[in-house]
Amino acid sequence: MRDASETLVWISGATQGLGLGLARTVPYEGARIINISRRPHPDYESVLCDLTDPSTYGAVADSFKNEMADFNGKRAIFIHNAYYQVAGYVGEMDAGDYARSIQANAAAPMLLGEMFLRAVKPEFETGLVMMSSAAARVPYEGIASYCAAKAAMEMWGGTVKRELNERRSETWLVAV
C-alpha cells in the first residue's frame, strides 16, 4: 500500500507494548507506519518476521528495498524495538530458548539494522533507532543473553555511527 506520506516509519514489535506506543505517538503527522512482527496489526501495515527465525528476515529486507525504491517523502526511519523474552540461568534453561534469545536479541538487531542502512538513499533524511536497555550496562541474573545482546547492539550502533560519520552520511543512528 503506497501513499504520499512524507514520513515512512518501520517499527519492529508494533503490535503491543512499547512498540505499539511508539507507533501511536510517532511525532510526524500523517506518517506511514509499517509494523514488523510475527503477527499482523489490525491498524498498521505489517511485514511478518519472527526474530528467532532468520529465514523470515528476507521479507523485512524486501520491504526496506521496495519501499525506498519508490519513496519521494522527506524521511524514512526504522525503530528496532522487538525482542524475544525468555528468562533462566545459563546452563539450566531450555537450550532452544537460549539459542532463540541469542538470535532474536543479538543477531536480529544488527542484521535488520544493516538491511535498513543498505536500502536507504541520500535524497531524504534517514534514521535508525535501536531500543536498548539498562541491561546493556547492568548484569541481571536470569537474563544473561539479553544483557549481552543489548551491550552488543549498543557497541554495534556506536561503531556504525562512526562509520556513517566517516562516510559523511546524513543518516543518523541512536540507541535509546
Side-chain angles (χ1 to χ4, degrees), residues 3 8 17 36 49 56-57 66 95 102 119 127 138 143 155 161 167:
D3 62 26
L8 179 57
I36 299 170
C49 175
T56 67
Y57 297 1
N66 294 337
I102 297 292
V138 179
I143 58 169
M155 181 57 74
K161 188 174 183 175
R167 297 287 189 232

Side-chain angles (χ1 to χ4, degrees), residues 1 19 24 27 47 49 62 66 68 73 84 88 106 113 125 130 143 173:
M1 173 199 326
R24 289 180 175 162
V47 175
C49 175
D62 290 345
N66 294 337
M68 297 278 196
Y84 181 74
E125 175 190 356
M130 306 297 279
I143 58 169
L173 188 154

Side-chain angles (χ1 to χ4, degrees), residues 38-60:
R38 290 176 296 174
R39 59 188 183 279
H41 190 281
D43 299 328
Y44 301 112
E45 295 174 60
S46 294
V47 175
L48 299 183
C49 175
D50 180 344
L51 298 181
T52 68
D53 182 0
S55 72
T56 67
Y57 297 1
V60 178

Side-chain angles (χ1 to χ4, degrees), residues 9-26 33 35-37 39 41 44 79-83 85 129-134 146 150 153 175-176:
V9 181
W10 287 268
I11 303 172
S12 65
T15 54
Q16 64 183 13
L18 183 58
L20 180 56
L22 290 166
R24 289 180 175 162
T25 59
V26 166
I33 309 297
N35 169 46
I36 299 170
S37 183
R39 59 188 183 279
H41 190 281
Y44 301 112
I79 303 172
H80 180 71
N81 163 74
Y83 71 101
Q85 185 174 350
V129 178
M130 306 297 279
M131 297 304 288
S132 189
S133 167
Y146 178 79
K150 291 300 183 180
M153 184 195 67
V176 178

